[in-house]
Amino acid sequence: MSTAALIVAAGRGTRAGGSSGVPKQYALLAGEPLLTHTLRVFATHAALDVIQVVIGPGDKALYEAAAGRFGDRLAPAVTGGATRQESVMYGLLALQDRQPARVLIHDAARPFLDAAVIDRVLAALEASPGAIAAELLADTLKRASPRMTVAETIDRRGLWRAQTPQGFAFEAILAAHRRAAAAGLTEFTDDAALAEWAGLDVALVAGSPRNIKLTSAEDMDLAERVLAPSLAHLEPRTGSGFDVHRFAPGDGVWLCGVFVPHEARLEGHSDADVGLHALTDAILGALGEGDIGAHFAPSDPRWRGAPSRIFLEDAASRVRARGGRILNVDLTVLCEAPRIGPHREAMRAAIAEMLGISAARVGVKATTTEGLGFTGRREGIAALASATLLLPAGPN
Ligand code: MG
């Protein structure tokens, strides 16, 4: 049995869109248009064969931006009418050629619909020509007097708040819409009311308390908080790294991803970038995933002369693969020469780019060892690094 979804996104309300003047269904929520969130629920549900969106006149560009990624099951959008009821009818007419057996009509401004509610509506449609998601009323209802005092308390027993989706046998709801339009009735605020008028049985199934209609700016604010990535499940991890490479005859050293002219080069299997090696080990250490040699064996000919950014970028991708992120890294280079200061900003920028973080999160420092030890004797360069990550908290 083929099933269509009809998403009503033709409203002109800008209340929730703030001062932007963008209709609320295109207002950004967690960085994406509200409609994108709503479409995703249907586009990822296996029971839907086609998704038809009804949009407002002039909203085509906004719609394309919001819907672009849901290609295959999305029918070309149609333009709505003067009322919600009229918009739904245009959507139903657009679906007619596809002859769906049933249709789920849903408000674009309800992005928190979940698949289980869709399942319940579809299940109820097996036995009824109509079925809607609804929530039993929990608040006590008051009727206000003209003086804004309580005139009456209304018995809430048996009262439900209608949500969407509202599902119907396709031909039955299309016929009901046609009859209502022919009778000059245009102000039904939901399709269940229209079906009721037409004498169709409409079953009530449990909706979801999360399936709210975002109407006001306050609703959008609340929704933003619901969708904001929570830091509660992340924990900080710190790692340290240390590396040394000796000088050999040459004309410069690779240090922190930057070539620094010098009277010697650094000896090593790769480009011997002692800074990036220490940093790679710091990140691997914070991950508890061994060291650079465990992932890039010095005996492997593939890494002969290789740019060390390969190692650091691999470590950063391991952080992302674990669902974590790099908070900051810090590096100290120990040598008498070359001087690091003139190259510091270029080094910070290079490391930031490799890690995909801001240069403000990258520290590069240098010190001599006062002529003491192997660095003091100018036999090589040493580097110390630390990295702090946020990783999803696990049992280990
Ligand atoms: Mg090394």
Side-chain angles (χ1 to χ4, degrees):
M1 190 175 353
S2 76
T3 304
L6 200 172
I7 315 292
V8 192
R12 306 312 297 159
T14 57
R15 278 174 296 175
S19 56
S20 62
V22 173
K24 70 179 177 195
Q25 59 273 32
Y26 302 107
L28 292 185
L29 193 57
E32 291 183 311
L34 200 169
L35 178 62
T36 303
H37 294 274
T38 306
L39 281 175
R40 185 175 291 118
V41 180
F42 289 95
T44 56
H45 194 291
L48 277 302
D49 299 290
V50 58
I51 302 165
Q52 176 69 61
V53 183
V54 186
I55 64 174
D59 287 352
K60 196 158 177 27
L62 287 168
Y63 171 74
E64 299 290 346
R69 71 197 70 180
F70 302 117
D72 48 348
R73 279 186 284 171
L74 215 54
V78 293
T79 304
T83 63
R84 182 188 186 281
Q85 182 188 328
E86 205 178 343
S87 293
V88 170
M89 177 136 126
Y90 291 158
L92 292 171
L93 290 171
L95 283 167
Q96 207 178 4
D97 285 349
R98 298 172 186 264
Q99 297 185 304
R102 52 197 187 176
V103 60
L104 299 183
I105 301 168
H106 185 70
D107 297 325
R110 293 185 191 267
F112 297 131
L113 173 67
D114 56 67
V117 175
I118 294 178
D119 292 340
R120 287 195 286 273
V121 173
L122 290 177
L125 282 180
E126 302 287 334
S128 170
I132 68 169
E135 282 278 288
L136 195 57
L137 205 64
D139 299 318
T140 302
L141 287 183
K142 306 292 183 190
R143 190 182 307 282
S145 74
R147 295 181 296 118
M148 276 307 284
T149 56
V150 174
E152 184 189 0
T153 296
I154 295 169
D155 185 357
R156 72 168 186 233
R157 282 174 297 177
L159 291 185
W160 293 68
R161 290 184 295 122
Q163 301 183 340
T164 67
Q166 302 191 341
F168 303 94
F170 183 81
E171 288 301 334
I173 194 67
L174 177 57
H177 266 273
R178 284 188 156 135
R179 277 178 56 202
L185 300 171
T186 58
E187 298 293 338
F188 288 110
T189 53
D190 76 349
D191 299 281
L194 193 147
E196 178 190 348
W197 169 82
L200 285 178
D201 259 354
V202 179
L204 292 165
V205 304
S208 156
R210 280 171 56 90
N211 186 23
I212 56 170
K213 188 172 186 175
L214 304 184
T215 303
S216 65
E218 287 77 16
D219 294 341
M220 288 296 278
D221 194 45
L222 188 68
E224 191 78 50
R225 287 178 214 203
V226 169
L227 290 173
S230 167
L231 294 183
H233 72 296
L234 297 174
E235 61 183 23
R237 300 284 185 97
T238 302
S240 67
F242 177 69
D243 196 29
V244 175
H245 282 262
R246 69 169 70 234
F247 284 129
D251 60 2
V253 296
W254 279 99
L255 211 46
C256 304
V258 173
F259 186 77
V260 179
H262 188 51
E263 61 198 21
R265 66 180 172 88
L266 286 173
E267 197 173 65
H269 189 64
S270 64
D271 66 6
D273 190 325
V274 64
L276 295 191
H277 292 185
L279 205 46
T280 302
D281 268 357
I283 293 171
L284 291 173
L287 288 169
E289 293 191 23
D291 61 18
I292 194 168
H295 298 285
F296 299 94
S299 56
D300 190 329
R302 277 182 299 167
W303 317 127
R304 181 169 296 139
S308 295
R309 67 177 301 141
I310 293 173
F311 312 144
L312 189 60
E313 285 170 352
D314 174 76
S317 73
R318 289 170 184 276
V319 176
R320 287 192 291 273
R322 294 263 295 266
R325 65 185 214 235
I326 300 167
L327 286 186
N328 80 301
V329 295
D330 187 29
L331 192 74
T332 303
V333 179
L334 291 80
C335 60
E336 302 294 323
R339 289 188 61 223
I340 303 302
H343 307 283
R344 183 197 315 272
E345 292 313 314
M347 291 172 173
R348 293 177 72 207
I351 291 168
E353 189 258 323
M354 291 175 214
L355 296 178
I357 61 177
S358 148
R361 295 174 183 269
V362 178
V364 172
K365 314 188 301 298
T367 183
T368 70
T369 52
E370 299 283 343
L372 299 173
F374 67 87
T375 53
R377 293 189 299 271
R378 299 174 185 249
E379 293 168 2
I381 300 181
L384 288 159
S386 65
T388 303
L389 319 179
L390 282 180
L391 284 188
N396 304 310

